[in-house]
Amino acid sequence: MNLATVETRQPARPNCTVKDFKSDLKPIWCPGCGDFGVVQAIYRALANIGRPPHEIAFISGIGCSSRIPGYTTAYGFNSVHGRALPIAQGIKLASPELLVLAAGGDGDGFSIGGGHVPHTVRRNPDITYIVMDNQIYGLTKGQLSPTSPRGTKTVTSGLGSLENPVNPLLYVLAYGAPFVAQGTPADMPGLASIIEEAIRYPGFAFVNVQSPCVTYGDEEQQIKAQKAKMKTLASLGHDPSNLLAAFNLAQGYGTELHTGVFYRNPAPPPTLGALVLERQQAMAKDALPRERILDMFVQH
Ligand code: SF4
C-alpha cells in the first residue's frame, strides 16, 4: 500500500448524502448554540467528500463541542480533555486509509490540550482539526477560556479578565501549519466549503470556527453580531499562498471576523504518515534477506 497516495486521495462518491452522516442521537446543546450550525456544515462537507462513514474516524476531547462525533455516523471517540490530537494522530498512523477528523473547543485545544497543538503541527499528520471557539468554558457553566477577550466578566472573573487571549490563528501559523482557515455558523454553506477544503488538503489542516455560546457568551459573539461584521478573505483579495499576508490578517483575531482560508501552503510538505512509510521502506530494503540470516546461524 502506498501510504502517501492513500493519505491524500479523497475520491468523490456522489451517492453519499448529508443524511448518511447524521446519527440517531439528538444533540443536547442549548437551543441556538452555534455548534448546531457546525455539525450541519460537517455533514455537508463529508457528503461532498463522498467517503462513507465507516472510512472516517472523528475524535474529540471534552466539552460541549466535543460531543460532536456522537452526532455523526463515523467512528467516534469522545476522549480525555485536551487529548483529541494525540489520539487522532495515533489512529491515522495505525490506519492511514481512514479519513481522520479531530474536534473540540477553545479550552480543550488551547489550554488543557494546548501543548499538543505545536507538536501536532510540526509532525504534519494528514488530519483536519476543527476548533469550535466560543471564547468561554460552556459545559462547566461559563468560566474564562484561553480565547476569552480581555475584560470578559464571568463567574470566575467578576472584575473582568486581566489576560490577553490566545490567538488560535497566529498560534498554528507560527508553528508552520500548512492549512489555516476560519469560519462561522453564521455562514453555514461557507463554513461547509472551508471544512471540505481543509479535509481535502494533504496534511494538517486547522479550522477555527467562531461558534457562539448563546448561554454564557458575549453579545458581540452571537450570530447577529457576527453577520454584521464578517468579511470573507476572498472579498479582501487575500492570496492564501502568501504566508506574510496570512500573518497580518490573523492579527485581526478578536476584533475582525475574517472567514476563509488564511494560508494554504502551495507546496504541501510531506506528511508524518508518508515519512514513516518512507523510513519503513528504507529499513526493509537494507534488511538482510531471510535466507542470508539463516545461513549465518547455520555457519556459526
Ligand atoms: Fe452551546 Fe454554550 Fe450551551 Fe454549551 S453552554 S451547549 S456552548 S450554548
Side-chain angles (χ1 to χ4, degrees):
M1 176 173 56
N2 184 333
L3 190 62
T5 52
V6 168
E7 274 200 323
T8 56
R9 196 175 46 212
Q10 310 294 347
R13 289 187 204 169
N15 293 336
C16 278
T17 67
V18 161
K19 229 171 126 194
D20 294 324
F21 297 98
K22 281 187 183 173
S23 78
D24 294 336
L25 271 184
K26 200 169 170 325
I28 57 166
W29 293 313
C30 308
C33 175
D35 296 349
F36 282 99
V38 183
V39 76
Q40 289 300 328
I42 291 172
Y43 295 147
R44 193 181 281 204
L46 290 176
N48 286 345
I49 294 284
R51 298 274 301 267
H54 69 270
E55 292 183 7
I56 300 166
F58 201 174
I59 320 304
S60 66
I62 296 292
C64 295
S65 54
S66 286
R67 297 179 191 277
I68 209 160
Y71 303 140
T72 75
T73 49
Y75 288 116
F77 190 171
N78 191 184
S79 75
V80 188
H81 214 343
R83 308 295 175 238
L85 284 176
I87 293 167
Q89 289 171 81
I91 289 172
K92 185 66 184 173
L93 276 179
S95 302
E97 70 284 359
L98 286 177
L99 188 166
V100 179
L101 305 174
D106 41 295
D108 193 70
F110 290 100
S111 185
I112 291 149
H116 292 300
V117 176
H119 300 293
T120 307
V121 171
R122 70 194 181 88
R123 291 183 194 123
N124 192 32
D126 186 14
I127 63 180
T128 299
Y129 184 37
I130 301 165
V131 168
M132 280 149 275
D133 176 11
N134 57 17
Q135 301 163 14
I136 202 89
Y137 280 102
L139 190 69
T140 48
K141 302 204 179 302
Q143 297 83 13
L144 285 182
S145 86
T147 56
S148 299
R150 203 177 174 98
T152 301
K153 288 189 178 172
T154 70
V155 287
T156 50
S157 58
L159 299 176
S161 168
L162 305 175
E163 300 163 1
N164 286 329
V166 167
N167 181 328
L169 301 166
L170 284 181
Y171 197 99
V172 295
L173 279 170
Y175 284 103
F179 185 99
V180 179
Q182 181 165 258
T184 160
D187 172 17
M188 195 280 279
L191 177 60
S193 302
I194 290 166
I195 292 173
E196 182 183 341
E197 194 174 342
I199 293 171
R200 289 188 188 281
Y201 188 82
F204 182 74
F206 172 71
V207 182
N208 196 61
V209 184
Q210 298 271 339
S211 180
C213 172
V214 291
T215 305
Y216 302 107
D218 194 86
E219 207 46 45
E220 274 302 292
Q221 291 154 12
Q222 303 308 317
I223 293 284
K224 197 172 161 196
Q226 287 195 8
K227 280 189 172 161
K229 73 172 182 179
M230 61 180 274
K231 275 195 195 110
T232 65
L233 291 166
S235 71
L236 300 175
H238 174 55
D239 169 8
S241 68
N242 186 335
L243 182 58
L244 283 182
F247 269 102
N248 276 337
L249 286 160
Q251 290 187 57
Y253 173 86
T255 50
E256 317 271 0
L257 178 52
H258 292 139
T259 62
V261 179
F262 283 80
Y263 184 59
R264 185 195 310 105
N265 187 332
T271 63
L272 177 65
L275 290 175
V276 166
L277 182 76
E278 194 182 286
R279 298 292 188 281
Q280 284 173 338
Q281 286 174 339
M283 283 168 69
K285 206 168 136 220
D286 292 343
L288 289 171
R290 188 166 174 273
E291 298 72 28
R292 176 81 183 97
I293 295 170
L294 286 176
D295 279 353
M296 286 162 67
F297 277 104
V298 172
Q299 284 165 16
H300 301 284

